[in-house]
Amino acid sequence: GRLVGVITIDDAMNVLDEEHEEDVLRLAGVGEDSHVSDTALQTARQRLPWLIANLFTASLSAMVISMFENTIAALVTLAALMPIVASTGGIAGTQSLAVAVRGLATRDLNKGNARRVVIRELFAGMLNGLGLALLLFAGGFVLFGDPLLGMVLAGAMIVNQIVAALAGVLIPLLLRRLGLDPALASGTFVTTLTDVMGFFVFLGLASWVLL
């Protein structure tokens, strides 16, 4: 029944800052032990394992692209447009991922509201995809004079935005359920999925519609 100590708001804010810094570093795949005072060897040792992992996952994207080698050879323009769909999907996935990881860390995202959050991300991805699709359709028509190319870009963007939004929230939830750290492992999976799906849907639609 006696007072033995006090936790002030400053103490709470220090813990909050430390947890936020840890999550940001883990999302970037550099680990919580990274500091600006580290040597080049220490920095490389911390980052190399994740770069190697990314090297293997990136090979999946290369395999997908190789499946459509004849399509790209017939329409060289596709090679210049492929990164648009994939990179935009990657950004959308990272946005959704950041919100999900933060929600898990603060316990705002839990079993009780996970379904609602997933549905929200699904519709957000659809709306973002539709907005970007309109811009890409207009750009494809104006720049290349080909409405079908614009339709392919638009369709691929809608699909990949939905995939990115769902992956950004479902992958952290799955990793948490498996007992893994979502902040540390989610980024690689989300980026790989959006890249692979972006290339596959875009080149698949191009093969179907344009050839």
Side-chain angles (χ1 to χ4, degrees):
R2 292 188 303 172
L3 180 67
V4 295
V6 176
I7 298 177
T8 66
I9 185 62
D10 292 338
D11 297 325
M13 291 305 296
N14 287 336
V15 173
L16 182 64
D17 288 341
E18 290 172 2
E19 290 296 321
H20 180 261
E21 179 185 4
E22 176 185 332
D23 287 344
V24 170
L25 288 173
R26 288 189 170 187
L27 276 173
V30 295
E32 59 185 292
D33 296 326
S34 300
H35 303 285
V36 294
S37 59
D38 290 345
T39 65
L41 182 60
Q42 290 173 320
T43 301
R45 187 181 301 167
Q46 291 166 356
R47 299 179 185 178
L48 186 58
W50 292 103
L51 293 174
I52 293 174
N54 187 70
L55 183 65
F56 283 103
T57 57
S59 65
L60 296 176
S61 299
M63 291 173 58
V64 170
I65 294 173
S66 66
M67 292 168 53
F68 298 94
E69 183 178 351
N70 294 333
T71 302
I72 298 173
L75 295 167
V76 182
T77 306
L78 297 177
L81 297 176
M82 284 192 305
I84 296 177
V85 177
S87 64
T88 308
I91 293 172
T94 301
Q95 291 173 334
S96 179
L97 174 62
V99 173
V101 170
R102 181 185 178 190
L104 288 171
T106 59
R107 304 188 189 281
D108 290 332
L109 177 58
N110 50 57
K111 291 182 180 179
N113 64 0
R115 181 183 177 87
R116 180 182 62 81
V117 173
V118 170
I119 294 175
R120 184 200 67 183
E121 290 297 327
L122 170 63
F123 282 101
M126 291 175 59
L127 292 174
N128 285 336
L130 288 171
L132 293 169
L134 290 174
L135 293 175
L136 284 177
F137 176 77
F141 181 72
V142 172
L143 295 177
F144 301 100
D146 188 349
L148 291 179
L149 179 58
M151 288 176 59
V152 169
L153 279 167
M157 181 60 73
I158 292 173
V159 173
N160 207 27
Q161 285 294 308
I162 294 174
V163 169
L166 290 176
V169 66
L170 287 175
I171 288 177
L173 286 171
L174 177 60
L175 292 175
R176 171 59 64 88
R177 189 166 186 175
L178 294 174
L180 302 174
D181 187 349
L184 189 60
S186 297
T188 300
F189 293 113
V190 171
T191 302
T192 300
L193 185 60
T194 54
D195 283 350
V196 169
M197 286 300 300
F199 292 137
F200 182 79
V201 174
F202 177 58
L203 294 174
L205 285 175
S207 300
W208 181 43
V209 175
L210 301 178
L211 295 182

